Amino acid sequence: MARPCAVVGIGQTKYKRQLPVTLDGLVREAALQALEDANLTFADIDAVVIGKAPDALEGVVMPELSLADALGAVGKPIHRVHTAGSVGASTAISAAVLVESGRYDTVLTVTYEKQSEGNATWALSGGRSGGQGAGGTFAPWIREYIRRSKAPEHIGWKVAVKDRLNALKNPNAHLHLEDISIEKVKESPMLWDPIHFLESCPSSDGAAAMVLTSEDKVSRSPNKPAWVLGHAKRTEFSTFPGRDTIRIQAGLDCAEALYKKVGITDPRKQIDAAELYVPFSWYEPMWLEGHLIAEEGEGWKMTDEGATEIGGDFPVNCSGGVLSSNPIGASGMIRCLEAANQVRGTAGDYQVDGAKVALGHAYGGAAQYFAMWIVSSELQPDFT
Amino acid sequence: MAQLPDIDFTLEYPYTRTTGPIIGPFLTGLRDGRILGTRVGDRVICPPLEYDPADGSTVGPENLVEVGPAGTVEGWTWVAEPTSKHPFDRPFAFAQIRLDGADTTMLHAVDAGSIDNMSTGMRVVVRFNDERVGSVTDVYFVPGEDAPDAPSVDADAEPVGIMEHLIGVRIREPLQPFRKRFLEGLLQKKIIGQRSPADGKVHVPSRGYDAINRVPMTEDDDVEVSGRGTVTSYTEITPIQYHGQTETEPYIRCSVLLDGADTTIGGVDIRDIPIEEFKVGMRLQIVWRDDISFDDEDNRAYGLNESVYERWERTGEPDVDPDLVKEHNF
């Protein structure tokens, strides 16, 4: 039987382009902030779990080796996780598992990306896939979602505006687009039809960190814990005969397993805030459906009705989301730690009033890796 | 028939590195003729770090101290046959050098002339190259203790804040047999897939195994499929100008489910069907190039090699209902 685990410390750098720090300095800033939040030092940490997207993004091969000392891991185990864009959430889950299993009491987990030191579109294709880029892969699926669901075209624009307005409340967010509007989004250049420039995530630098600890050690840290109620990861191949890339089996399975573990029977009612990995605007309704929060074909209606705004009944990406900050390797962990911020009551101006249960989610590769967790202010929340 | 060579390509990119509060001054020092370490407790660390490697505590630039210029070799290896990546075109030593005033060693190159001149415990001293840019390769070491002449320094030069870092890797591997048969088929204007012995589905191009049923596929499973098919997915790309980008105008990349296949070929390049007419369900056929050859084979591509076709053209058949190909929209 796994033992309870909680987030007791959170650290984030500002998410910008060309942060004037080394990779050592970048990960240390987030890690030291998380330790300070937890009222701990490197000496209190039993193991370090680090994650980032492909090494080709910065051209530093096996950075977990050169960053180990910078993260105080001398004489301690360091693990490196890699699951493409979902890696930040997978890393958080790996850290939680190390605590839940009883192997380590207190784990520091750190993820980062410094996109300004390389080029993601180049790196993700290994320099030889016709320059299609991530948007080029997802655009046809978005078009197919629109065709199947009959969603009106303004849904994507609406998500793009909502997440950028939320980002104005988040001092760490990369994009602070004061004058964002539906008009601006739809008049921005079409990058990969139907994805406009302003419906796409930025290319960011930044690091995110958390300290996770076991139930008996939670009281060492003064600030409110976020209990990790459950998590799930699922994977499928990028291409195979019969793959449905819109309603993705691994995504459905991942959500189903997670809700079952936590005891959630009606996610829309029982989850107070969600941080979903939405690098292109249309992925908000696509994941609402793809993770069983909305019925098939109904996700876009939640967006359209304002249900996903702060103040709506299912707020999504109150922090501004991936659309406002995308240090790729960290982006999934940011979803997980912003979920924790919501239930700890530390989300500042983008706090959802009284949030008790929050969902963090990421996907990666050709929408083939999924990692999700649910955190709560209570170890055993009443879902009835 | 043209010969199929093994795979051989070079992947390279000009990355940048932000040098930060400690490595920046260290590199600036090498450019300006001095070697810096950091005082950390009762030790001096060189090359310096932003933190104490023992416990991770922060070490700021106020702790920078000058070390050297001479030092002691604590370990070494002889490079008898230097490559183009090495700092010298003649045999030399890589050595762990503990500079005078430092408590840790720095790995660097010693231009010793002969292996007979190298020994653990020997004294070496730094030399500054005439051309220095703020890089660890601005200096090298020679046997002895004679301090170098003070190099000429540009007093107005900016501190080193960002450095360029070109990284390249050359990849060579043999073509896998299934891939070789696929590419040889293309040379004969045939598209060869593999039919899974487990469920009968035809994979084009094949990976050499059925990933869903986890069974290998052999030459006996090879089948030819049609050069005609249905568009299952497409992207209109407005090119982003990154390093190495050669595209300037919008173009289409689509996936085509060839008749007789159960997987799509991806990345099909469309230049001359108007974007506004393009849609899922459209019927296309390949127009082969007369003289087919390859220059960039690999084992993993999920499309046809672009060099085999002139273009894809509409067959004139009616469109297929998109619902019938929705399982193939990768």
Side-chain angles (χ1 to χ4, degrees):
Chain A
M1 185 64 193
R3 61 178 180 168
C5 163
V7 178
V8 292
I10 288 176
Q12 303 190 69
T13 64
K14 292 246 187 296
Y15 305 117
K16 295 284 177 209
R17 224 177 138 67
Q18 290 173 344
L19 286 175
V21 291
T22 59
L23 295 184
D24 291 2
L26 186 70
V27 295
R28 284 172 58 78
E29 186 181 333
L32 289 169
Q33 207 186 103
L35 287 168
E36 189 184 345
D37 183 16
N39 195 32
L40 300 174
T41 70
F42 283 127
D44 300 307
I45 297 299
D46 302 314
V48 177
V49 185
I50 184 168
K52 74 172 299 298
D55 292 353
L57 266 74
E58 293 88 0
V60 177
V61 177
M62 292 187 283
E64 62 278 10
L65 302 183
S66 58
L67 294 176
D69 291 5
L71 291 170
V74 174
K76 297 171 184 176
I78 186 164
H79 299 214
R80 191 263 173 97
V81 178
H82 176 42
T83 58
S86 70
V87 66
S90 302
T91 306
I93 292 171
S94 294
V97 167
L98 291 179
V99 174
E100 290 165 343
S101 68
R103 187 70 182 85
Y104 303 108
D105 288 342
T106 306
V107 174
L108 169 68
T109 182
V110 187
T111 53
Y112 73 95
E113 209 69 69
K114 201 149 192 270
Q115 286 214 53
S116 66
E117 304 211 328
N119 180 291
T121 295
W122 182 89
L124 294 176
S125 64
R128 54 186 334 220
S129 84
Q132 188 164 307
T137 300
F138 296 128
W141 304 346
I142 289 170
R143 193 185 308 109
E144 172 67 4
Y145 169 77
I146 294 169
R147 188 188 73 82
R148 287 192 204 176
S149 69
K150 302 183 175 60
E153 61 181 350
H154 71 262
I155 297 299
W157 310 336
K158 210 166 167 176
V159 174
V161 171
K162 178 203 63 150
D163 284 5
R164 272 52 173 273
L165 289 176
N166 289 349
L168 293 174
K169 301 176 178 184
N170 179 358
N172 293 321
H174 178 173
L175 298 185
H176 286 137
L177 305 176
E178 304 278 352
D179 57 351
I180 189 78
S181 67
I182 295 277
E183 285 302 306
K184 282 222 152 66
V185 173
K186 78 184 210 197
E187 280 163 20
S188 65
M190 188 68 91
L191 290 187
W192 304 274
D193 184 82
I195 308 174
H196 290 85
F197 175 75
L198 282 173
E199 290 179 274
S200 307
C201 54
S203 178
S204 316
D205 295 351
M210 288 189 285
V211 176
L212 284 82
T213 199
S214 54
E215 186 176 12
D216 57 318
K217 296 280 173 70
V218 162
S219 60
R220 287 194 302 179
S221 298
N223 297 324
K224 194 170 170 179
W227 295 100
V228 181
L229 298 187
H231 42 75
K233 292 188 280 190
R234 287 293 185 277
T235 304
E236 71 182 37
F237 274 108
S238 58
T239 59
F240 56 86
R243 181 175 192 224
D244 188 338
T245 53
I246 314 308
R247 198 165 172 80
I248 297 171
Q249 193 61 45
L252 299 170
D253 292 350
C254 191
E256 195 176 359
L258 175 69
Y259 302 150
K260 187 176 175 200
K261 169 80 176 72
V262 175
I264 283 185
T265 49
D266 184 345
R268 183 165 176 181
K269 277 214 176 76
Q270 293 163 332
I271 293 171
D272 302 315
E275 287 279 336
L276 304 181
Y277 200 98
V278 178
F280 301 100
S281 59
W282 281 94
Y283 269 97
E284 174 173 300
M286 289 168 75
W287 292 138
L288 289 171
E289 295 175 35
H291 295 309
L292 304 169
I293 296 154
E295 296 289 329
E296 189 170 4
E298 303 288 316
W300 64 267
K301 294 175 188 166
M302 284 177 67
T303 301
D304 207 22
E305 291 158 9
T308 59
E309 294 169 10
I310 298 175
D313 75 271
F314 194 87
V316 175
N317 293 330
C318 304
S319 67
V322 181
L323 278 175
S324 304
S325 312
N326 190 26
I328 302 178
S331 292
M333 181 167 285
I334 299 167
R335 308 284 67 75
C336 290
L337 68 74
E338 289 293 3
N341 267 332
Q342 289 292 346
V343 301
R344 294 175 94 203
T346 50
D349 292 344
Y350 53 97
Q351 177 70 46
V352 172
D353 282 345
K356 282 188 181 154
V357 177
L359 167 66
H361 154 271
Y363 80 98
Q368 64 195 110
Y369 306 113
F370 295 91
M372 303 169 74
W373 84 357
I374 285 178
V375 287
S376 174
S377 53
E378 293 166 31
L379 184 51
Q380 290 176 310
D382 181 7
F383 286 121
T384 54
Chain B
M1 193 173 78
Q3 203 62 31
L4 286 174
D6 285 342
I7 295 156
D8 185 342
F9 78 104
T10 301
L11 185 63
E12 93 186 339
Y13 193 82
Y15 292 94
T16 56
R17 297 276 177 262
T18 304
T19 57
I22 299 291
I23 305 296
F26 171 71
L27 296 175
T28 304
L30 295 181
R31 186 192 67 194
D32 295 349
R34 57 205 185 113
I35 306 174
L36 297 176
T38 38
R39 182 169 296 286
V40 179
D42 55 1
R43 297 198 304 164
V44 171
I45 290 172
C46 179
L49 294 165
E50 294 174 27
Y51 53 87
D52 180 347
D55 64 7
S57 58
T58 300
V59 174
E62 67 280 8
N63 296 291
L64 288 163
V65 291
E66 191 168 348
V67 297
T72 303
V73 168
E74 298 208 336
W76 57 279
T77 188
W78 190 249
V79 181
E81 293 176 20
T83 71
S84 61
K85 307 270 184 195
H86 283 126
F88 300 108
D89 59 5
R90 53 192 177 274
F92 70 99
F94 274 126
Q96 292 285 1
I97 301 164
R98 186 166 53 80
L99 288 158
D100 295 344
D103 296 281
T104 61
T105 59
M106 175 163 72
L107 181 68
H108 219 294
V110 181
D111 189 15
S114 161
I115 190 171
D116 298 332
N117 296 330
M118 290 301 301
S119 62
T120 299
M122 73 184 283
R123 298 284 289 165
V124 292
V125 64
V126 73
R127 288 292 178 264
F128 294 94
N129 291 322
D130 291 339
E131 295 282 320
R132 294 183 310 283
V133 295
S135 161
V136 75
T137 53
D138 284 353
V139 304
Y140 62 98
F141 289 82
V142 293
E145 295 194 296
D146 295 337
D149 296 333
S152 61
V153 173
D154 176 0
D156 297 329
E158 292 288 318
V160 178
I162 289 184
M163 54 189 286
E164 285 218 342
H165 194 74
L166 180 69
I167 289 184
V169 57
R170 183 177 178 196
I171 296 169
R172 280 178 289 182
E173 58 176 324
L175 274 176
Q176 297 289 325
F178 71 88
R179 190 71 189 168
K180 195 166 184 193
R181 295 196 305 277
F182 173 74
L183 293 171
E184 281 171 352
L186 293 180
L187 293 176
Q188 299 170 60
K189 303 183 182 178
K190 289 181 181 173
I191 303 171
I192 306 295
Q194 290 194 297
R195 186 184 301 281
S196 168
D199 62 12
K201 295 205 170 176
V202 174
H203 297 231
V204 186
S206 178
R207 294 183 172 102
Y209 59 94
D210 170 351
I212 299 305
N213 296 295
R214 295 176 295 281
V215 292
M217 295 192 277
T218 70
E219 194 164 358
D220 292 342
D221 302 309
D222 285 5
V223 289
E224 186 180 345
V225 299
S226 171
R228 288 185 168 214
T230 304
V231 174
T232 61
S233 165
Y234 69 95
T235 294
E236 176 194 340
I237 299 166
T238 307
I240 297 166
Q241 295 309 311
Y242 57 81
H243 174 80
Q245 171 68 280
T246 54
E247 301 290 348
T248 55
E249 297 303 315
Y251 60 102
I252 289 173
R253 292 261 168 168
C254 70
S255 294
V256 176
L257 183 66
L258 295 170
D259 297 347
D262 293 288
T263 63
T264 58
I265 52 165
V268 171
D269 193 71
I270 304 289
R271 304 280 166 161
D272 39 25
I273 299 176
I275 284 169
E276 57 278 10
E277 289 176 23
F278 209 81
K279 59 184 163 185
V280 171
M282 183 179 277
R283 296 280 297 162
L284 296 182
Q285 63 190 7
I286 191 167
V287 179
W288 296 98
R289 208 175 275 248
D290 284 337
D291 186 19
I292 297 170
S293 65
F294 301 120
D295 55 6
D296 62 342
E297 305 76 18
D298 76 37
N299 282 321
R300 284 163 292 273
Y302 66 104
L304 299 183
N305 193 303
E306 272 168 47
S307 57
V308 307
Y309 54 84
E310 291 286 351
R311 65 182 186 280
W312 288 70
E313 63 185 16
R314 304 186 67 165
T315 63
E317 297 162 281
D319 292 343
V320 170
D321 179 352
D323 273 333
L324 297 176
V325 292
K326 71 178 187 184
E327 286 185 350
H328 298 282
N329 65 356
F330 190 93

